Each structure stands twice: as structure tokens, then as C-alpha cells.
Amino acid sequence: MIAWIRRTSIAALTAALLLFETVGTASALTPDDIEIQQLLEKSLSVVEIDKEIARVQQEQTKQESLLSTTQTRIDHQEQQLAEQREETGRILRSYYMGERDWLLKALLSFHSLQDWLKLLDYIDIIFSRDRTLMTQYAEQARLLRQEYEEQSEQQRKLHQVEEDLLKQRDRVAQLQKEMNITLEGRSDADKLRLLMNELNTYWNNVGVREVRTYFQALSDAMNHLPEWAQNNKDYLEINGFNYKLRIPEDSLNDFLREQNDLFNVFAFQFKNGQVTASGSRDGISIEVTGSYTVESKPKNHIQFHIVSLKFNGIPLPDTTRKELEETFDLSFYPQQILKFLTAKDVAIDDGELVVSLAVQF
């Protein structure tokens, strides 16, 4: 097949059709085919990791801006605290050094009840002002501590972002080095570079949109899954305060097809402890393999984790999987079935997703 590709004008082919034709049967691939497939995978990974680098750089700029803003607030708070500290110190000295003794003496030497009441009002005003200044000092100190804590957290995030940026740049550099070494030993290097460029262009112009279309459809469908479970109580086993939801893959696929016609060519399969969702249309194939875990934050739910993601047989890097996980919510929330239910365990048997639930008192 690769030999046929070489004889064909590569520039005239779309990368999607090439990959769909060549990667379909891995067992038939020759070592040369595998080397080309690995080149394409690395080329696509470089494109996707470059996107992650751009995102991380934006996050770095954001964190630096937040840190600068926080530092400005800290400078202002420190100045206000210094002023409050001076005034608070003066008040405390007046109490401990006897400068307020005249108030007590005046209070004990009044000549009439009216004068005494006026003096009480005057003393109350003075003490109220003192209390206000002391309270302001305490509040300024609290705000400053809060700003310091926020600054510390922002510095930690910035340090993490910078580390991530260096790591992703190292990954790209290593992938490019490996591609250059492979291409240097090939007589068809120029054609392969053209093929990689076509693949990257096709992925950016068509592939990304297609993948996100599938994930958006899945996310929308998951919003209706609790309602579907309520209407299909045959899948829900009740044993005292314990519940077990069993979802057969055929039933899940029927549910998905009811939600969106896209799932007529895209189906789920539960096997070997994992869930695989795959389909193809218009010469584009997508395969997502993942697993489920029970998570408690921000609230109890069944979280879907992408283990692998393939576009026309080409694996996409972890940065792409992470971005899709963060963008599209494919989780299942038991409380949407019944408010008092929480997920305790989730398992994937062959042909069936099993969720163990319990009553939350």
C-alpha cells in the first residue's frame, strides 16, 4: 500500500483518505509502513503539542498579570497597614501610659447629672473611634495576609505553568529530532514531508472540527442519560439502601441514536474493563477508548477518562485528550436520577456498564 502511495501524486490526495486506506489493517503493515505511520503520528503530535504550548504560554501571561496585580495590592495594603499600625500604637500607648486618665478623673468630678451624661457621650465617642481604628488595623492585617496567601498560590501556579511549558517544548524538540533522523535516511523524504503537511492541514481544517462534533454530541446526550435511566427502571436493581444500575451497550447505543443521528455511525462497546466509542463518516474515522472512575469533587459523579484517541488510526497525544476532557463533560451524575443517591463503584463487564449506588443520608 505504501508503495502505491509513493507512485501516486501525494499532493493530490487528502491525508484522511490516505490514512484510512493504509492504517486499517495493522497486521498487514510492513516495517516500512510502520515507520511511515510513526512519522505521521509524531508529526500530528507536534502540531497538537504546539497548540498546548500556545495555551500554556497564554496561561503563563495570565498568571504573571495576576501576580503583578496582586503585588500592587500588597504594596497598597502594606502602606495602609503601616499607617494603621502607627495610629493603633498611639492609641495603645495612651491607654497603657495613663494618657486617658483624665477621662476617668473628669467622670468622677462631675457637678451635675446633665454634665455627667454629656461627658459619657463624649467618652463613648472617643472609645468608639478608638475601637474603629483598632478594628481597621485588624482588618488591614487580615487583608494583607490574604493577599500574601493569594500571591503564594499564584507563584506556585506560575512555577507549575513554566515547568509544563519547558516539558512540552522538550517533547516537541525530541519528536522533531526523531522525525529528522528518520527522514534523513529516506530517499522519499520530500514526499513524506509533503504527506505530513497534508495530514496536519487536514487535521486542523477538518479533523479537529469532526472530533469536537462527536464530543459535543456525547456531552449533550449525557445530560439526558439520568432521565433515560429513570424511564428504564428495568436496568435499576434495588436492594435495601443499595442500588445497582446496569446499562447494556446495545441499550446505550439505542439511547444515543435517539439523541443524535450522528450515533448511527458511532457506537459504544464495553469490553476488557474499558469502553470504546468508534465510528466513521466522510472518510474520517474516530476511535475513543476510556474508563470510568467515581469522583467526589466538585460533587459525586462518574468521570470518563480518555485513555486513547485515534484520528484515522493515528493516535493523538495526551495534550489533546486532556483538552477534550476539560472542554466536554462526559460525566454521569447519579443525583440527577434521585437526589439522595451517590455513586460508590463503577465497573465495565463485557457488554455492560455497572454502576453501584447507595442512599446518601
Side-chain angles (χ1 to χ4, degrees), residues 81-95 130 132-138:
L81 186 63
E83 294 172 356
Q84 290 289 342
R85 184 186 296 115
E86 182 178 346
E87 183 65 17
T88 302
R90 185 188 62 77
I91 292 170
L92 291 174
R93 285 194 300 272
S94 72
Y95 281 108
D130 289 348
T132 299
L133 291 172
M134 298 283 282
T135 301
Q136 287 175 349
Y137 173 74

Side-chain angles (χ1 to χ4, degrees), residues 175-233:
L175 286 169
Q176 289 176 330
K177 179 181 178 180
E178 292 172 2
M179 287 190 296
N180 290 336
I181 291 174
T182 301
L183 289 169
E184 284 174 2
R186 300 187 63 97
S187 59
D188 57 353
D190 290 340
K191 290 182 178 180
L192 287 175
R193 287 191 179 93
L194 179 59
L195 179 58
M196 288 188 291
N197 287 335
E198 286 185 351
L199 168 63
N200 295 339
T201 299
Y202 189 76
W203 164 249
N204 283 322
N205 293 339
V206 179
V208 172
R209 183 175 65 251
E210 187 74 358
V211 168
R212 296 180 77 85
T213 297
Y214 277 107
F215 272 81
Q216 184 62 62
L218 284 172
S219 180
D220 292 340
M222 291 304 293
N223 289 330
H224 300 284
L225 188 60
E227 179 184 354
W228 174 82
Q230 284 181 328
N231 296 329
N232 292 271
K233 293 188 173 19

Side-chain angles (χ1 to χ4, degrees), residues 248-276:
E249 65 180 40
D250 290 342
S251 300
L252 178 62
N253 286 319
D254 289 341
F255 158 73
L256 291 173
R257 293 182 188 113
E258 292 173 0
Q259 301 299 312
N260 194 315
D261 290 340
L262 183 65
F263 295 112
N264 290 327
V265 294
F266 193 82
F268 276 76
Q269 183 180 24
F270 301 131
K271 191 174 182 180
N272 299 326
Q274 291 186 321
V275 54
T276 299

Side-chain angles (χ1 to χ4, degrees), residues 48 63 74 109 111 126 237 246 258 262 268 312 316:
E48 284 300 283
Q63 291 300 330
I74 285 176
S109 60
H111 298 289
I126 293 175
E237 301 173 2
R246 296 180 177 275
E258 292 173 0
L262 183 65
F268 276 76
N312 278 11
L316 293 166

Side-chain angles (χ1 to χ4, degrees), residues 33 116 155 225 228 308:
D33 296 337
W116 186 69
Q155 286 175 331
L225 188 60
W228 174 82
S308 72

Side-chain angles (χ1 to χ4, degrees), residues 8-234:
T8 307
S9 174
I10 297 179
L13 300 174
T14 66
L17 289 176
L18 275 169
L19 294 173
F20 189 75
E21 293 287 342
T22 60
V23 183
T25 56
S27 59
L29 295 179
T30 67
D32 188 57
D33 296 337
I34 294 172
E35 184 174 73
I36 291 177
Q37 183 178 336
Q38 289 174 343
L39 270 174
L40 295 175
E41 180 181 340
K42 290 174 182 177
S43 174
L44 198 55
S45 292
V46 166
V47 171
E48 284 300 283
I49 296 172
D50 274 339
K51 292 179 184 177
E52 176 65 7
I53 288 173
R55 187 197 68 78
V56 172
Q57 286 175 327
Q58 290 180 347
E59 180 65 19
Q60 182 183 37
T61 301
K62 173 186 173 183
Q63 291 300 330
E64 288 173 344
S65 177
L66 287 173
L67 199 55
S68 176
T69 302
T70 301
Q71 184 59 56
T72 300
R73 291 202 304 266
I74 285 176
D75 292 341
H76 179 67
Q77 293 289 353
E78 285 178 337
Q79 181 180 352
Q80 286 191 316
L81 186 63
E83 294 172 356
Q84 290 289 342
R85 184 186 296 115
E86 182 178 346
E87 183 65 17
T88 302
R90 185 188 62 77
I91 292 170
L92 291 174
R93 285 194 300 272
S94 72
Y95 281 108
Y96 288 102
M97 297 178 67
E99 294 179 12
R100 299 290 196 194
D101 286 353
W102 66 271
L103 291 172
L104 181 59
K105 292 176 181 177
L107 192 61
L108 296 175
S109 60
F110 66 94
H111 298 289
S112 68
L113 180 60
Q114 185 177 7
D115 291 339
W116 186 69
L117 292 174
K118 288 181 180 179
L119 183 58
L120 277 178
D121 290 338
Y122 179 62
I123 291 174
D124 185 58
I125 292 172
I126 293 175
F127 285 176
S128 295
R129 179 177 180 278
D130 289 348
R131 284 195 299 270
T132 299
L133 291 172
M134 298 283 282
T135 301
Q136 287 175 349
Y137 173 74
E139 177 64 11
Q140 291 294 342
R142 186 192 67 80
L143 290 174
L144 185 57
R145 283 195 302 271
Q146 181 177 311
E147 295 291 355
Y148 278 137
E149 290 171 0
E150 185 175 337
Q151 182 188 55
S152 178
E153 177 63 15
Q154 288 170 354
Q155 286 175 331
R156 185 195 65 77
K157 288 182 178 179
L158 180 58
H159 180 68
Q160 183 61 48
V161 165
E162 290 171 342
E163 282 189 348
D164 193 27
L165 185 59
L166 289 174
K167 181 180 72 174
Q168 301 300 347
R169 282 174 173 166
D170 287 344
R171 288 180 67 186
V172 167
Q174 181 62 30
L175 286 169
Q176 289 176 330
K177 179 181 178 180
E178 292 172 2
M179 287 190 296
N180 290 336
I181 291 174
T182 301
L183 289 169
E184 284 174 2
R186 300 187 63 97
S187 59
D188 57 353
D190 290 340
K191 290 182 178 180
L192 287 175
R193 287 191 179 93
L194 179 59
L195 179 58
M196 288 188 291
N197 287 335
E198 286 185 351
L199 168 63
N200 295 339
T201 299
Y202 189 76
W203 164 249
N204 283 322
N205 293 339
V206 179
V208 172
R209 183 175 65 251
E210 187 74 358
V211 168
R212 296 180 77 85
T213 297
Y214 277 107
F215 272 81
Q216 184 62 62
L218 284 172
S219 180
D220 292 340
M222 291 304 293
N223 289 330
H224 300 284
L225 188 60
E227 179 184 354
W228 174 82
Q230 284 181 328
N231 296 329
N232 292 271
K233 293 188 173 19
D234 291 344

